[in-house]
Amino acid sequence: MTASLLMEIANGVAHLTINRPERLNAMDSHAHLALSEALDHCAIDKAVHVLVLTGAGDRAFSVGRDLRELSQGEDPEIAARWHSIRRLTDRHDYPKPIIAKVAGYALGGGFELALACDIIIAAENAIFGLPEARRGLIPFAGGVHRLPRQIPLKIAMGHLLTGRELNAARAYELGLVNEVVPVEHLDKAVASWTSDILACAPLSIRAIKECVSDGLRLALPEAMAATYPAEEMRQASRDSIEGPRAFAEKRAPVWTGA
């Protein structure tokens, strides 16, 4: 049986590919478990500094939950382990940056996966949407909460209440995606973003992620006055000295992560 999720780690980047192209990369219980385990691995793997999440083929990033499985019942073995599955959409404190590489459809839970990533790079053929209300469901894996926080409220409500889709150009216009490129340039664009992230100090990246995710829950004065463990670690690190020193010496910094 073909693995429902592929993981390849090279040069500091973990590429996670939802591998169900025949189902437009719909997420069944096996794919959810595999993604959860991959995220757990990458969180503690010191060789991984940035993750790229994508779907196999160029027809779909993911069309979300596999409704066929949902209607037939989950695999009993997976259902028994469901308590151990922590979805990406539930991980508000993930320590490493995640880029969503989106080609084709990102619908329902697939769109929610992309919304949970830090950066979205989309091909021109990308289509985003939350059609749950048309299925008697709601986008409760973060869609009803993340979308109104990432685009204007009235626009978000319009899409949530109708299931209407938006194309890549409109998503970029709304600030929902970081870059839109032709399908054939998608890999190159994502590589450019990962390269820029890898040039930064890992401790700085981790501290920024923690400050943003925790700080957004607070009013601005409280957010700026709060204590952030990852930032305290960065301040006490050798890398906090290496960065300014390398700049003064006009050379590339050498990050040790310590």
Side-chain angles (χ1 to χ4, degrees):
M1 180 181 295
T2 302
S4 57
L5 185 91
L6 306 177
M7 179 169 68
E8 179 183 352
I9 299 173
N11 302 317
V13 182
H15 291 271
L16 308 181
T17 304
I18 304 166
N19 189 37
R20 304 187 74 222
E22 75 287 352
R23 298 285 295 141
L24 295 180
N25 298 316
M27 298 287 289
D28 65 357
S29 52
H30 293 274
H32 274 295
L33 177 61
L35 179 56
S36 175
E37 292 176 340
L39 291 170
D40 288 343
H41 173 87
C42 292
I44 61 174
D45 188 341
K46 293 183 179 180
V48 175
H49 298 291
V50 57
L51 293 76
V52 175
L53 178 64
T54 192
D58 58 10
R59 294 178 61 206
F61 172 75
S62 172
V63 294
R65 190 72 171 90
D66 190 332
L67 297 184
R68 180 182 299 176
E69 181 191 59
L70 193 62
S71 67
Q72 297 174 347
E74 296 169 344
D75 182 318
E77 181 181 348
I78 299 295
R81 300 176 60 188
W82 194 255
H83 68 280
S84 67
I85 295 177
R86 192 176 179 211
R87 301 173 301 176
L88 171 59
T89 52
D90 298 326
R91 297 175 188 244
H92 306 288
D93 56 353
Y94 199 74
K96 298 178 182 180
I98 306 177
I99 297 175
K101 172 186 164 187
V102 180
Y105 293 108
L107 303 178
F111 190 10
E112 290 175 305
L113 284 174
L115 289 171
C117 294
D118 301 292
I119 292 171
I120 301 176
I121 309 302
E124 291 175 339
N125 71 342
I127 299 292
F128 302 90
L130 294 169
E132 281 84 348
R134 298 187 181 191
R135 310 285 187 267
L137 307 170
I138 73 169
F140 207 56
V144 290
H145 301 297
R146 284 193 171 96
L147 192 63
R149 285 168 167 78
Q150 296 185 24
I151 64 175
L153 177 59
K154 291 294 190 293
I155 303 298
M157 290 301 291
H159 287 284
L160 286 165
L161 295 175
T162 66
R164 290 184 179 183
E165 299 172 347
L166 63 159
N167 61 26
R170 178 60 171 158
Y172 179 79
E173 180 181 277
L174 292 169
L176 190 62
V177 304
N178 298 78
E179 186 176 1
V180 178
V181 297
V183 174
E184 62 270 21
H185 295 163
L186 188 55
D187 287 341
K188 183 178 180 180
V190 170
S192 174
W193 284 86
T194 59
S195 177
D196 286 346
I197 291 173
L198 291 171
C200 299
L203 290 177
S204 294
I205 295 297
R206 184 165 190 157
I208 288 170
K209 281 214 60 177
E210 183 180 89
C211 289
V212 171
S213 62
D214 291 354
L216 280 174
R217 306 169 194 171
L218 305 171
L220 181 59
E222 287 77 15
M224 294 186 66
T227 298
Y228 303 96
E231 171 55 7
E232 291 185 324
M233 183 183 299
R234 183 208 60 79
Q235 290 178 1
S237 71
R238 291 192 295 273
D239 282 355
S240 68
I241 299 172
E242 167 65 7
R245 178 178 293 166
F247 177 81
E249 295 174 358
K250 298 181 179 180
R251 61 175 174 80
V254 179
W255 308 121
T256 64

